[in-house]
Amino acid sequence: MPMTIKDIAQRSGYAVGTVSRVLNGHPDVSDAARERILAVVAETGFRPNDTARHLKQRGSREVAIIVKGAGNLLFARILEEAQRLLKADHRPAAVYYLDENDDEVEQALRVCRELKPLGFLFLGGNRDNFKRSFEHVTLPSVLVTTRADTLGFPNLSSVSTDDVEGASQAVGCLLDAGHRQVGIIGGESCVAAPVMGCNTSQLRLMGCQQACTQRGVPFDPQRQSAIARYSMEGGYEATVTLLEQFPGLTAIFAMSDVMAIGAIRALHDQGIRVPQDVSVVGYDGIEQAGYCVPRLATVCQNWEQLARRGVEILLNQAEGGCAVHEIVPFYLSMGESVGRKEENSH
């Protein structure tokens, strides 16, 4: 029997109404509830039945949104704004949640076989998956937060932040504060891939290396990096690993804010103070970063502009427009989680 919203409620431990609000992108849900429910959705591959019915009824007016990573709080904000914009344009949206390691292009192909949406918004993506099979997706598509300009598909646009420069500024602020033993926690490809590529984690690793090279600071990614899922738990576990394999570190750059929040908790549990002993910088600029203790220093992505341009580009493409690739500005918020090395006692 197919999964129902009641099954998701039972597995997640939350009420059906709460599950419904999460699936429809409503903001009045706690972060803990949203993260747990989306994790269950990703684990089970659940897709609401009413979404399928609406797609069949409305045909090509529906926009399919594929969200890569149920615990990604930046994507939650982008999704909420994209749904608001589409609703204002009287266009319904069908949302599909995937685990961060799932193949988003294969999911799009399944949607194409079952239904006929207007096009796709991909929130996050692995460029290797697009290289392998996106040629079979013929509908207008926009990849949000990941660059697609070198993939060469005429129906694939992208809107993203300059991940190399963002990471370079994040690590640069640590180096400029006197830190020389900087650890990195990020996605699997940032550590496992010996050849630099163009996936998000790899681009951010390039930014780290760029900052170190510009300042003449040695950097060994194999020793100074640890793999993490894009979640608080992933950041926590990666930080524990990093402390073991890179003793003496005085700063950490986490490739997402949720990782950074997990890292701060892991450091606290080890009796290490932030920023007095170890400084921490994140990436994304999610709302929760401003409520950490200490307030998190982070690279702030403009989620409203990412959502707005993603929707505008998709709708323009659907009307015959060409593929467009845009870079959205970011800024570095220093917060309270970075201290100067000479002031540290660790």
Side-chain angles (χ1 to χ4, degrees):
M1 294 292 292
M3 294 289 295
T4 68
I5 194 171
K6 291 183 179 179
D7 296 322
I8 299 300
Q10 184 176 16
R11 292 195 182 202
S12 67
Y14 288 94
V16 170
T18 303
V19 174
S20 177
R21 288 196 297 277
V22 169
L23 294 177
N24 286 286
H26 291 291
D28 57 336
V29 181
S30 71
D31 294 332
R34 188 183 306 278
E35 187 169 347
R36 172 58 184 159
I37 290 168
L38 293 182
V40 172
V41 168
E43 290 168 5
T44 59
F46 172 72
R47 177 164 51 82
N49 289 334
D50 59 348
T51 293
R53 288 199 301 270
H54 289 164
L55 275 170
K56 291 174 182 176
Q57 293 166 0
R58 298 176 183 269
S60 62
R61 288 187 55 78
E62 196 104 18
V63 172
I65 305 177
I66 298 180
V67 184
K68 189 82 176 284
N72 192 314
L73 299 181
L74 174 68
F75 290 169
R77 298 303 299 271
I78 295 174
L79 172 63
E80 180 184 331
E81 179 67 5
Q83 287 179 305
R84 186 189 70 79
L85 292 167
L86 289 167
K87 184 177 180 180
D89 197 52
H90 306 291
R91 294 185 184 276
V95 182
Y96 302 82
Y97 296 96
L98 302 182
D99 182 84
E100 64 183 68
N101 294 322
D102 288 345
D103 189 324
E104 64 280 6
V105 180
E106 286 300 319
Q107 175 64 38
L109 289 170
R110 284 193 290 271
V111 173
C112 288
R113 286 193 292 267
E114 298 173 7
L115 312 159
K116 185 70 173 179
L118 175 73
F120 290 97
L121 274 180
F122 294 93
L123 303 193
N126 185 318
R127 286 168 50 94
D128 293 335
N129 294 336
F130 283 84
K131 290 178 183 177
R132 183 168 50 250
S133 54
F134 186 77
E135 63 181 308
H136 302 296
V137 178
T138 59
L139 299 176
S141 302
V142 180
L143 184 50
V144 182
T145 72
T146 302
R147 294 181 62 170
D149 51 324
T150 61
L151 292 175
F153 296 109
N155 61 320
L156 180 62
S157 297
S158 63
V159 54
S160 61
T161 300
D162 187 337
D163 286 301
V164 174
E165 183 59 26
S168 181
Q169 289 193 24
V171 174
C173 84
L174 296 172
L175 299 174
D176 292 344
H179 297 279
R180 293 297 178 266
Q181 307 297 313
V182 180
I184 313 297
I185 57 177
E188 183 172 356
S189 59
C190 83
V191 180
V195 179
M196 299 308 295
C198 294
N199 286 318
T200 299
S201 296
Q202 293 170 324
L203 291 172
R204 293 179 187 175
L205 179 61
M206 290 173 64
C208 300
Q209 294 178 316
Q210 175 178 286
C212 291
T213 299
Q214 289 173 346
R215 293 162 179 80
V217 177
F219 179 72
D220 177 5
Q222 293 300 319
R223 188 169 72 98
Q224 293 177 235
S225 302
I227 296 170
R229 289 177 63 85
Y230 280 76
S231 67
M232 295 179 196
E233 181 181 9
Y236 187 105
E237 294 173 349
T239 300
V240 172
T241 299
L242 193 59
L243 290 170
E244 293 174 352
Q245 73 183 35
F246 188 41
L249 68 83
T250 65
I252 293 175
F253 167 55
M255 292 190 182
S256 76
D257 286 348
V258 290
M259 292 181 192
I261 293 169
I264 290 174
R265 184 68 222 188
L267 292 167
H268 176 81
D269 288 352
Q270 297 274 346
I272 300 171
R273 300 169 300 169
V274 177
Q276 295 91 336
D277 301 326
V278 172
S279 293
V280 177
V281 178
Y283 201 113
D284 281 341
I286 63 173
E287 183 180 12
Q288 291 78 358
Y291 293 91
C292 292
V293 180
R295 186 172 288 112
L296 181 64
T298 180
V299 176
C300 295
Q301 301 198 67
N302 190 330
W303 57 268
E304 290 179 296
Q305 190 171 348
L306 287 166
R308 178 174 56 80
R309 288 303 296 144
V311 169
E312 289 174 350
I313 291 169
L314 178 64
L315 296 181
N316 181 65
Q317 245 187 271
E319 294 176 0
C322 299
V324 173
H325 303 282
E326 292 186 4
I327 299 295
V328 170
F330 66 88
Y331 67 93
L332 181 63
S333 173
M334 288 308 300
E336 303 164 343
S337 60
V338 174
R340 293 200 61 82
K341 173 60 173 66
E342 57 264 31
E343 298 173 355
N344 292 356
S345 60
H346 181 63

